[in-house]
Amino acid sequence: MKRMFYFKILAVLQILCMSSMSFAQGAIPFTVNNNSPFSDAELYVAVVGIDYTTGNHVWVNPKTSQVLPMSSSYNTVQGPTPGGNLGPGGNGKYANCFVKLSEIPNKTFTLPLIAGCRVFISKGSQMYLYFFGASGAPSGYAGHNPLNSTDPNNGILYEMIELTNNQYGFFGNPTRVDSFKYPMGLELLGANGYQKKVGEYKTQSEIVAAFKANVPAEFQGCVNDATGEITAPSKTAPFAEGTGAYANYMKSYVDAIWNKYKTQDLIFYAGDAGVFKGRVIGEQLEVVGQSGGFVGRTGRVQYRPSTQEVLEGKGVLDRRLVDGDLDLVIQAQLCAAINRHMVNVTASNPGQQNWYDAPNFYKANPMNHYAKFWHLPGISLDNLSYGFAYDDVADLSPSLHTPQPTKVIATFGGYVGILNPSVPSTTGIITTYDDCNFTGFSGGFGVGDYNLAALQAKGVRNDVISSLKVTQGYKVILYMDDNFTGTSTTLTSDSSCFNATWNDKVTSMRVLPNGDTGLGNVTYYLQNRNSGLYMDVWGSSNTNGANVAQGTYNGGNNQKFTFTHLGDGLYKIVANHSGQSLDINNFNTANGANVEQYPYNATPNQQFVLVSTGDGYFKVIAKHSGKLVEVTGYSTANGGNVQQWENVNQTSGHWKLVPVVNSTVIQAENYSSMNGIQVEATTDTGGGSNVGYCDTGDWMAYNSVNFPTTGAYLIEYRVASAVTGAKISSDLNAGSIVLGTLNVPNTGGWQNWQTISHTVSVNAGTYNFGIFIQTSGVNINWIRITKVANGAKVALDSKEEIQEEVEFKVYPNPAQEIIYFSKDLIGNTVRVFSLNGNLVLERLLDKNELDISKLQSGVYLIAFDKEIKKAKRFVKM
C-alpha cells in the first residue's frame, strides 16, 4: 500500500493561471459508461478526494451522491492478506467505499466541488483502499503500490480518472502516468457548446501488442502478458532506484546536460512561460526569465536528477526552492524536455532551443519510450495522453477543462468500436460528408494525417465519404486503405459527389497546405489592396502579444516581415523589428480573432498559407483556421485593426508583397587602397566628395564588401564625364572574379551626373571590390550594390517594356519626393515598377512631374505608354 494525499492534475503553468479564469457552476453530473465485455454488476466505482471548502479528505458515495468525511470507521471490508500483509490497520480490513456500477441510478452520481479527486473503476472486485481520516495526522488514504509484492490490489484490473471541480471549472483526465490496465475514455460537456473527448480507441490486447512492437528491450519488462497490464517503467523492478538493471538509464543524458551547461548558456523557449537563459552553477541549474511572465526572475533545479526523478517528475523536479512557483515551472519544463530528449547536448553552440517543437519530440535515445508510445498515431484520440507527470507541457496531455461544465462522462473500455452519437457534425479546413451534395454527417479536419482510427474519432466511419469541401489554400490526399496505403487521389477544390471509383471508398487521408511555393525566404512590406496602407506591428512594440494593424508607410522595421518557406506554400512570417512571428491569438478559429506578434514556437496559428490572386496580390491564410488575414471592416484608416475572417475574396484580405530592397552604398572616396586617384568636392545631390582625374590604368579597391546571398545583384555607378569613350570595369578579390565592363557616357561635364549600371551574379561571401579605369575620362561619386529579388533580372532584360536607349531623363536622381521629366509628357500614363516587376504606381500625368513620396526607398523602373516606348531607372532615397 502507498499513502495518497494529492496528485498532479495539470502542469504548474496551468495551475498558476487559474486566477484569470471565470467561475464554474458548482456540482455537476458524472456518468460512468461501460464499453467493455464485462457486465455493470462486475464493475465497482469509488470516489475519493478533498473537500474544496474545508480541505478535509472525503469520499462520495456513488449510489447516493452523499459526501462523507474520510474516516477509519469505514474500514469494514475484509480483504486478502497476501504474504501475511494485514494492511495499515493490522487486521486486513479496508474501506467500504465501492459501489457496483449496476447499483448507481442511471450510472450517474453528482460530483461536488472537490479537489485532488480520483474516480476508481475496478473489475470483478472492489479495490482495497485504507482510510486514515479526514484531517490531522495521519489523514487521507492508502492505495495500490505495484512495487509491493504483497499489496492486496495486485492483480485487480482497475482504472481511474483524476480531476478537480472547483470555482474555476472542471479539470480532469485519464492517466497513464502509473500504468495502463484497460482502455479509458473521458468526455466533458460545458456551456456555449463545449464538448471534447479524450482516451483510447483500441482494445486492451491491441494496445499491448502495439506497445511490444514499438518499444526497445529496456521497456519490454513494462508488459505483464498474463494480465494485459502495462506499468510505467519507474514502477517496475528493472528501473528501480539503485537495484534495477536500468536504474541509470537517463544518467548519461543528464550528465551531458549538466556538464555542457556549466560552461555555456542554456537558452530555451518554454511556451507561455517565455524564454529562459542560465547555467549550471556548482550542481544547481539556475535560469533567468528573458521574456514572458517571469522576466528577471530566477528558477532553479537543485542538482542533477536521477533516472527515477526524471521518469516520475519527483524529487529535485518537484521541489520549491527560493522562487517556489517559478522553481516548479522550470522543473516541469526540464523534466518534460529530458523525457522527450529535447535538451541539445550535441551542437557546439545550439543557441535558443525550442522545447515546444512537438514534431521533434522523442527523436533520440535515451528517451522515455513508455511516454512516447501513448502519443503514437492510432492509440488515443488526437494522440493525447498522460505518459509521465508533466506530459501537459506543450499541451500533449488529455487534460480537459471548461469554466462552466455541465456533464462528465467516463467510459470504461474507451471508444473501441464506438461511433459515438454524441460526436457532433463539424466543419473544418477540409470537411467530409457522408452523402452527396454536402449532406449527411460531416467531419471537419485541419492540416494533418488521419488514419481510419483518427477518422472514426471524428465520427467519420470507414468507406462512407461521398462529397467533400476544400478550403482555398489546402489540398487533401484520399487513400482507399488504412494508414495512407492503396490507391490515392488528390483534391484541391470541392467535390459535390465522388465518382463510382471513390464514392464510399475512403479509409484514410492527409490534409496539406497548397500555397504559392515561389516566394522564397525574402523580406517584404505587405500593402493592403483595399486601403493602400501597410501591415504594421503597432507602435514598433517588442511586447509578446503586441497588436498588428495597418499603417501609413514609414519604412520602419515594424513594417518589414521576413518570410520563411516551410514547404507546400506554407510560411513563417516574422516582424523584423522584434523577431516575433505573426500569430492568431490563442489558436482561435473564429471570425474576428486578432492578429498579433508572439515568439515563434512552430504552432499552426503562427504559420500561413500564401495564395496568389493572380494579379499581383496574395491571400494570407492562417494554417489552423483556413481564414484570411484581413483589415477589419474594410477600414482605410491609419491604425485599422488586422484580424482573421472567412475567405469571401474580400479585397481587405488581399496583400501586395513588396520586396524590401536593401542596398550597400560605397562612397567612391572611401577606398581602402588606390592608384592614381584624386578626391575633389562634388556638386551632385547630397554633396560631399567624388574621385576624379582617373586615367587609364588607375584603380580603387574597397575591402570587406558583403554579398549576403548567392544570386543576382544590381551594381550602379554614379558617374560624370566630359569626354566620349571612357570605360570602367569592376571585379572582386583583385581581379580573380571579373564582374564586367561598362561604357561611360559623355554627360556634358565633369559635374553633370548620371547613373549607369549592370546586373551580375555573385556567390554569397565577403570580398574586396575593385574598380579599374579601362579608358580615361570619368569621375565617380558613389557605387550602390542591391540584391535583385526573384524575377528582377527578367524585368531588367525585357526589350519590349524597358529599353536601355532612353529618350527622356528623370531628375533629380536619386530623389526623395518629386521627380521631373526632361520633355513634356503631360497626358501620358506613367507606370512605376519594383525591381521584381510588380506595378507599384500608375498615374495619368496632368503636369510634368510625379510624386514618389509614398514609395519606400529603393530602385525602381519607370515606363510610359507603348507608343512612346521609353523606360528609365531611378532611385528613391
Side-chain angles (χ1 to χ4, degrees):
M1 303 291 285
K2 65 178 178 180
R3 295 284 297 278
M4 296 287 189
F5 296 99
Y6 65 91
F7 61 93
K8 298 170 184 172
I9 182 172
L10 296 172
V12 177
L13 282 176
Q14 292 170 303
I15 294 173
L16 293 177
C17 74
M18 286 181 181
S19 60
S20 66
M21 298 177 183
S22 58
F23 283 72
Q25 296 176 338
I28 53 175
F30 191 111
T31 298
V32 178
N33 278 343
N34 181 8
N35 185 39
S36 74
F38 317 123
S39 69
D40 292 349
E42 293 179 276
L43 299 184
Y44 293 77
V45 179
V47 185
V48 295
I50 300 172
D51 186 287
Y52 194 74
T53 57
T54 67
N56 290 338
H57 294 275
V58 296
W59 68 284
V60 180
N61 187 330
K63 189 174 182 178
T64 65
S65 296
Q66 185 178 8
V67 182
L68 301 164
M70 203 171 282
S71 168
S72 60
S73 65
Y74 292 109
N75 297 323
T76 60
V77 175
Q78 186 64 50
T81 58
N85 183 355
L86 295 175
N91 56 7
K93 292 189 177 181
Y94 298 92
N96 185 17
C97 61
F98 279 82
V99 173
K100 289 182 178 181
L101 180 59
S102 59
E103 296 174 350
I104 302 174
N106 299 316
K107 304 182 186 179
T108 301
F109 63 87
T110 299
L111 182 71
L113 291 179
I114 192 169
C117 178
R118 281 178 170 169
V119 177
F120 288 100
I121 307 170
S122 60
K123 181 260 176 182
S125 166
Q126 75 160 71
M127 293 178 66
Y128 299 103
L129 309 182
Y130 184 87
F131 286 176
F132 290 98
S135 60
S139 60
Y141 69 97
H144 183 208
N145 180 4
L147 293 178
N148 181 356
S149 62
T150 66
D151 192 294
N153 293 293
N154 288 340
I156 297 177
L157 190 156
Y158 72 90
E159 280 295 344
M160 62 184 173
I161 300 296
E162 301 177 324
L163 65 91
T164 284
N165 185 43
N166 61 23
Q167 75 266 39
Y168 302 111
F170 177 92
F171 303 81
N173 56 268
T175 178
R176 297 295 162 230
V177 171
D178 289 336
S179 67
F180 162 83
K181 294 181 173 62
Y182 207 70
M184 282 295 295
L186 185 67
E187 182 174 7
L188 177 61
L189 294 87
N192 301 315
Y194 176 89
Q195 184 177 27
K196 187 174 180 180
K197 286 181 172 182
V198 291
E200 292 101 7
Y201 47 79
K202 284 188 179 295
T203 66
Q204 183 191 44
S205 60
E206 287 174 334
I207 289 175
V208 170
F211 184 89
K212 294 170 71 172
N214 282 281
V215 303
E218 295 94 327
F219 291 80
Q220 291 290 335
C222 296
V223 177
N224 185 326
D225 290 317
T227 63
E229 297 176 67
I230 306 174
T231 302
S234 59
K235 301 293 192 296
T236 65
F239 283 86
E241 192 87 62
T243 61
Y246 307 122
N248 293 319
Y249 175 75
M250 289 286 190
K251 186 176 187 303
S252 62
Y253 185 37
V254 173
D255 286 347
I257 295 169
W258 246 248
N259 295 336
K260 181 178 181 65
Y261 294 106
K262 280 185 177 182
T263 58
Q264 70 178 100
D265 289 333
L266 173 63
I267 309 170
F268 61 89
Y269 169 77
D272 289 338
V275 174
F276 294 88
K277 174 181 177 181
R279 293 193 179 194
V280 174
I281 302 173
E283 271 297 289
Q284 182 165 277
L285 173 65
E286 298 182 12
V287 295
V288 179
Q290 307 296 304
S291 66
F294 298 97
V295 172
R297 292 169 60 180
T298 302
R300 299 163 176 84
V301 180
Q302 195 168 15
Y303 51 79
R304 65 186 75 195
S306 68
T307 293
Q308 280 283 322
E309 288 172 322
V310 169
L311 295 176
E312 293 200 342
K314 67 179 183 180
V316 296
L317 297 177
D318 185 22
R319 181 174 297 171
R320 291 180 178 272
L321 297 169
V322 180
D323 187 342
D325 288 345
L326 180 54
D327 293 337
L328 295 182
V329 168
I330 296 304
Q331 291 158 21
Q333 305 301 315
L334 181 65
C335 179
I338 296 174
N339 275 280
R340 297 162 177 168
H341 202 103
M342 288 297 290
V343 186
N344 192 315
V345 295
T346 56
S348 59
N349 184 19
Q352 181 173 313
Q353 304 173 39
N354 182 3
W355 288 359
Y356 277 54
D357 184 12
N360 284 313
F361 290 173
Y362 304 111
K363 294 295 186 181
N365 285 315
M367 63 170 133
N368 187 340
H369 284 272
Y370 173 88
K372 175 187 178 181
F373 169 77
W374 297 110
H375 299 289
L376 293 179
I379 304 299
S380 305
L381 294 177
D382 299 321
N383 303 332
L384 299 176
S385 190
Y386 245 125
F388 63 97
Y390 292 118
D391 219 355
D392 50 355
V393 170
D395 300 322
L396 290 189
S397 76
S399 300
L400 298 180
H401 165 68
T402 181
Q404 295 179 291
T406 57
K407 186 177 183 180
V408 185
I409 306 170
T411 302
F412 190 81
Y415 303 114
V416 177
I418 293 179
L419 178 60
N420 196 325
S422 68
V423 175
S425 283
T426 55
T427 59
I429 290 167
I430 302 296
T431 305
T432 65
Y433 297 85
D434 284 2
D435 303 319
C436 288
N437 299 313
F438 316 119
T439 58
F441 182 87
S442 65
F445 299 87
V447 172
D449 295 345
Y450 300 89
N451 60 11
L452 178 58
L455 293 178
Q456 291 174 333
K458 292 278 192 177
V460 178
R461 294 166 292 165
N462 188 29
D463 294 339
V464 300
I465 300 175
S466 295
S467 58
L468 180 147
K469 287 187 177 180
V470 181
T471 299
Q472 185 181 25
Y474 300 86
K475 63 183 177 182
V476 57
I477 307 174
L478 306 177
Y479 298 86
M480 286 191 176
D481 299 325
D482 198 8
N483 297 316
F484 323 110
T485 58
T487 304
S488 65
T489 188
T490 300
L491 299 179
T492 59
S493 60
D494 297 351
S495 177
S496 61
C497 196
F498 290 170
N499 59 27
T501 301
W502 281 98
N503 192 33
D504 294 338
K505 297 293 176 60
V506 177
T507 301
S508 58
M509 70 181 192
R510 287 189 163 117
V511 179
L512 300 168
N514 186 39
D516 190 308
T517 60
L519 302 178
N521 300 321
V522 179
T523 300
Y524 295 100
Y525 297 98
L526 279 74
Q527 184 180 29
N528 190 264
R529 183 199 288 267
N530 180 62
S531 67
L533 300 179
Y534 291 78
M535 189 176 292
D536 184 304
V537 178
W538 206 245
S540 298
S541 174
N542 287 306
T543 305
N544 293 0
N547 192 50
V548 174
Q550 66 177 2
T552 304
Y553 171 78
N554 59 30
N557 285 331
N558 63 312
Q559 291 186 345
K560 297 175 183 177
F561 297 88
T562 297
F563 282 51
T564 302
H565 188 213
L566 305 175
D568 297 319
L570 186 70
Y571 293 83
K572 164 186 173 183
I573 305 176
V574 171
N576 277 24
H577 77 293
S578 65
Q580 296 191 26
S581 170
L582 287 189
D583 177 289
I584 307 298
N585 176 260
N586 201 30
F587 299 88
N588 200 326
T589 59
N591 284 341
N594 198 46
V595 178
E596 61 187 17
Q597 69 172 9
Y598 205 81
Y600 183 72
N601 54 31
T603 51
N605 64 319
Q606 296 182 329
Q607 297 172 346
F608 300 87
V609 184
L610 271 290
V611 175
S612 174
T613 62
D615 59 356
Y617 288 83
F618 289 85
K619 297 178 182 180
V620 181
I621 302 171
K623 174 186 175 183
H624 76 297
S625 67
K627 291 184 166 62
L628 291 192
V629 172
E630 62 143 37
V631 177
T632 304
Y634 290 86
S635 172
T636 58
N638 186 45
N641 195 48
V642 174
Q643 63 178 14
Q644 72 172 7
W645 200 269
E646 63 185 288
N647 179 7
V648 292
N649 202 35
Q650 59 269 45
T651 56
S652 58
H654 294 180
W655 301 90
K656 179 176 288 184
L657 273 57
V658 182
V660 175
V661 178
N662 294 312
S663 299
T664 298
V665 176
I666 302 171
Q667 295 298 329
E669 68 273 16
N670 292 337
Y671 43 74
S672 303
S673 57
M674 64 83 179
N675 178 65
I677 301 298
Q678 297 183 40
V679 176
E680 63 182 5
T682 184
T683 62
D684 195 8
T685 302
S689 302
N690 65 263
V691 299
Y693 304 94
C694 304
D695 297 323
T696 301
D698 291 348
W699 54 266
M700 296 160 283
Y702 304 87
N703 293 346
S704 301
V705 177
N706 181 248
F707 292 78
T709 59
T710 297
Y713 286 83
L714 175 69
I715 305 182
E716 300 167 282
Y717 307 81
R718 188 69 167 164
V719 298
S721 178
V723 301
T724 301
K727 289 184 181 182
I728 61 173
S729 63
S730 59
D731 56 65
L732 301 177
N733 292 349
S736 63
I737 301 174
V738 176
L739 298 178
T741 300
L742 296 91
N743 294 320
V744 178
N746 185 334
T747 65
W750 297 110
Q751 291 294 321
N752 291 338
W753 295 94
Q754 290 186 20
T755 304
I756 62 175
S757 66
H758 58 162
T759 303
V760 300
S761 294
V762 180
N763 291 329
T766 299
Y767 300 88
N768 294 334
F769 176 79
I771 296 178
F772 186 79
I773 310 303
Q774 298 281 357
T775 306
S776 62
V778 60
N779 287 355
I780 305 175
N781 188 8
W782 48 255
I783 306 100
R784 178 169 34 228
I785 302 172
T786 304
K787 180 71 176 71
V788 177
N790 291 340
K793 193 173 189 306
V794 175
L796 288 171
D797 291 342
S798 171
K799 298 300 183 182
E800 179 180 357
E801 292 294 330
I802 301 168
Q803 301 176 10
E804 292 298 330
E805 295 296 329
V806 299
E807 298 179 18
F808 67 95
K809 293 183 180 180
V810 174
Y811 65 93
N813 190 6
Q816 289 185 328
E817 295 187 353
I818 304 292
I819 58 174
Y820 301 91
F821 305 104
S822 60
K823 64 181 296 184
D824 184 3
L825 295 171
I826 294 174
N828 290 288
T829 298
V830 62
R831 298 177 179 87
V832 178
F833 300 87
S834 64
L835 281 182
N836 66 355
N838 285 334
L839 180 66
V840 297
L841 182 63
E842 185 174 13
R843 291 285 188 276
L844 179 65
L845 294 181
D846 58 1
K847 50 186 174 181
N848 208 42
E849 64 185 52
L850 180 66
D851 183 353
I852 61 169
S853 60
K854 293 184 178 180
L855 296 179
Q856 60 267 29
S857 298
V859 182
Y860 293 90
L861 307 166
I862 185 167
F864 288 84
D865 293 335
K866 288 186 177 180
E867 60 184 280
I868 298 178
K869 293 185 179 178
K870 298 177 177 67
K872 184 70 175 177
R873 282 187 287 274
F874 72 90
V875 178
K876 167 66 164 62
M877 300 296 288

